Amino acid sequence: MALTYQQSKLVKDTIPALREHGEKITTIFYKNMLRDHPELNNYFNSVNQKNGRQPRALTSVILSFASNINHISELIPKFERMCNKHCSLGIQPEHYEIVGKYLIMAFTEVLGPAMTPQVHAAWERAYWLLAKMLIGREAQLYRDFESWSSWRKFKIDRVVPETEDIYSFYLVPQDGKKLPKFFPGQYISLRVNGPEGYFQSRQYSLSESWKPDYYRITVKRDEGARYSNSVSQSYFHPGIVSNLMIDSMPAGTMVDVSHPAGEFFLDINNSSNVPIVLISAGVGVAPMVAIANEVVATQPNRPISWIHGSRKSVPFEEHITHLRRTNPNFHTNIFKTHLAGSDVVGVNYNYDFRMDLEKVSPEDLHLNHGGAEYFICGPEQFMMEMSDYLKSQGVLSQRVHFELFSTGDLAFKHQ
């Protein structure tokens, strides 16, 4: 049921107030909803609730929706990311009833007299326009998941350290059944019991191409946001699930895992031979390993350029070196900011400073190829910088893919 012209106008007229008070609205929304429906804490990231990231992400979604209310098709990439994450968490249609109720209540509380009956009705209709779109797409995804539409028990088969703070976990299904295929670059959600009495779920990129009997994820210790002064250094809001896995979940531990999902992937059904450029930093290496392994195995003639930045050790360094030495179409550029005594330029690194794409040859970046695809994964600021550089070199935004686990957006002008 579409909005009338007048209702669309009323929604857009609230944009200035949303820009000013959006985060207050979403903070009140989460506070009231989780107070009255504490069971929903099982679906939300408690760390992102405390550090404000969850309210900021929802504010971004609301503003984008209001700003594009007359041409919603432009929001399809954002909605696709939301729907994939919702399905990985087990979100159901009945949850939209609760969210709609408390979101409109928060609007009314913060906007006050500006939330007239007409504006209230317009936003209620707009919300359900959005909700029905998401519910419909999520129903399609759940059908694609077939019999695995909820949580499935897996055992941690082994844990392998990749660097001093990055570990790979090999997960095997408890039921012993063959695992479904996935697109390299996708993720799973992994659920554990959190310290506050609720489940906590996190998304982890699959770091190996499809295998019928196990999935592999690669996890980095999350110390939280660092704060330092002249006297001391401390960390705020450290990660829960990643740190729990590394510190307290050895081989033999049982975990809940969702069906692979995500809109960041290499389409293996497309036999294109255009070059692929993988740009990663830190644990952002994880989905790139899956993509590289798949391409090397199934399309050995396809050019791959991998550009990676690390502080010290490079995850999967031996494997990446092996790929480079055994595949003439596989090229690497490794940036390191802290060298070890055993590091040799040209062997296990190329540059001893922070990643700078301007230092990489245009040939390795495939800037002169109008069809090259770019996959970027790493910290958000890093992804923004890499994207901006590619844009400045004439790369079209539709050829640049990002791994984002949040429902908000990065501040890319061309996104």
Side-chain angles (χ1 to χ4, degrees):
M1 186 165 56
L3 274 68
T4 66
Y5 169 80
Q6 184 60 28
Q7 287 174 326
S8 296
K9 185 175 184 303
L10 287 172
V11 168
K12 296 188 82 168
D13 285 346
T14 62
I15 290 176
L18 292 175
R19 291 194 190 282
E20 183 177 355
H21 304 293
E23 200 166 324
K24 182 179 181 182
I25 290 171
T26 54
T27 299
I28 290 173
F29 155 73
Y30 281 117
K31 177 184 176 182
N32 292 342
M33 182 179 69
L34 295 176
R35 178 198 63 211
D36 295 348
H37 293 274
E39 73 279 2
L40 295 182
N41 282 293
N42 289 313
Y43 296 92
F44 290 106
N45 183 321
S46 63
V47 174
N48 285 345
Q49 286 289 333
K50 292 174 182 176
N51 64 22
R53 179 172 179 145
Q54 194 106 47
R56 286 194 296 273
L58 180 57
T59 301
S60 169
V61 171
I62 294 171
L63 278 170
S64 294
F65 179 62
S67 301
N68 293 277
I69 195 70
N70 295 326
H71 34 94
I72 293 176
S73 61
E74 294 189 12
L75 298 177
I76 287 176
K78 183 193 291 280
F79 292 164
E80 184 67 10
R81 182 165 70 251
M82 291 174 62
C83 290
N84 272 270
K85 185 172 182 182
H86 285 176
C87 289
S88 81
L89 293 171
I91 299 298
Q92 299 297 322
E94 56 266 27
H95 294 134
Y96 285 91
E97 292 274 358
I98 301 171
V99 168
K101 172 185 174 181
Y102 286 89
L103 189 59
I104 298 300
M105 284 173 55
F107 270 52
T108 303
E109 180 177 340
V110 175
L111 298 184
M115 196 69 169
T116 65
Q118 293 79 14
V119 174
H120 185 286
W123 260 108
E124 195 161 68
R125 187 177 237 183
Y127 170 79
W128 279 108
L129 174 68
L130 171 61
K132 288 178 179 178
M133 290 175 59
L134 299 180
I135 290 171
R137 175 57 181 146
E138 286 160 19
Q140 292 177 333
L141 289 172
Y142 280 128
R143 284 194 294 271
D144 291 342
F145 292 176
E146 298 179 340
S147 61
W148 184 7
S149 59
S150 185
W151 298 99
R152 184 173 173 183
K153 289 291 183 184
F154 277 66
K155 182 180 74 174
I156 297 176
D157 185 57
R158 57 193 172 109
V159 182
V160 177
E162 304 294 352
T163 69
E164 61 272 15
D165 59 355
I166 295 176
Y167 297 78
S168 286
F169 290 76
Y170 290 74
L171 310 173
V172 298
Q174 184 184 38
D175 57 22
K177 294 181 180 179
K178 182 179 178 180
L179 293 171
K181 292 186 176 182
F182 59 86
F183 290 109
Q186 290 189 300
Y187 59 80
I188 57 171
S189 283
L190 186 143
R191 187 177 73 170
V192 301
N193 290 309
E196 298 177 0
Y198 297 103
F199 289 123
Q200 285 290 286
S201 305
R202 298 293 185 271
Q203 292 69 51
Y204 295 103
S205 296
L206 291 152
S207 61
E208 173 62 288
S209 52
W210 177 76
K211 298 291 184 292
D213 54 346
Y214 74 89
Y215 286 156
R216 184 179 72 186
I217 59 174
T218 301
V219 179
K220 183 179 186 297
R221 181 179 296 283
D222 183 0
E223 295 179 324
R226 184 174 63 180
Y227 172 79
S228 60
N229 55 35
S230 58
V231 178
S232 64
Q233 177 174 285
S234 57
Y235 294 87
F236 295 99
H237 307 303
I240 293 176
V241 179
S242 296
N243 295 349
L244 182 66
M245 291 180 68
I246 292 170
D247 293 332
S248 307
M249 299 177 72
T253 305
M254 301 302 297
V255 293
D256 293 330
V257 172
S258 70
H259 192 286
E263 83 299 339
F264 174 87
F265 59 79
L266 176 70
D267 185 358
I268 56 178
N269 295 323
N270 184 347
S271 58
S272 170
N273 236 6
V274 300
I276 297 173
V277 180
L278 310 176
I279 305 173
S280 56
V283 76
V285 71
M288 307 310 190
V289 176
I291 292 174
N293 287 351
E294 180 69 28
V295 173
V296 167
T298 61
Q299 298 176 285
N301 295 322
R302 189 170 189 176
I304 305 178
S305 181
W306 192 337
I307 306 163
H308 182 76
S310 283
R311 291 186 69 251
K312 298 179 182 177
S313 304
V314 177
F316 304 103
E317 183 173 65
E318 289 186 11
H319 179 65
I320 295 170
T321 300
H322 173 75
L323 291 179
R324 186 184 72 239
R325 289 175 175 171
T326 57
N327 296 273
N329 292 310
F330 190 94
H331 295 255
T332 61
N333 284 266
I334 304 299
F335 291 77
K336 282 188 176 184
T337 55
H338 294 73
L339 298 181
S342 59
D343 286 332
V344 179
V345 64
V347 177
N348 61 351
Y349 81 98
N350 303 93
Y351 307 97
D352 60 350
F353 45 82
R354 190 170 178 269
M355 187 184 291
D356 181 356
L357 292 185
E358 196 168 355
K359 303 298 184 184
V360 179
S361 72
E363 291 75 24
D364 279 353
L365 279 173
H366 296 284
L367 293 175
N368 295 322
H369 194 293
E373 288 191 82
Y374 299 82
F375 294 84
I376 308 176
C377 188
E380 292 192 0
Q381 181 65 30
F382 165 83
M383 291 193 290
M384 183 167 62
E385 292 173 0
M386 299 304 106
S387 169
D388 285 346
Y389 178 79
L390 293 174
K391 179 186 176 185
S392 73
Q393 299 302 304
V395 177
L396 300 178
S397 60
Q398 57 263 38
R399 293 195 282 125
V400 182
H401 313 279
F402 308 95
E403 177 62 295
L404 282 175
F405 289 134
S406 68
T407 52
D409 250 338
L410 297 185
F412 296 130
K413 296 176 182 177
H414 57 288
Q415 272 288 99

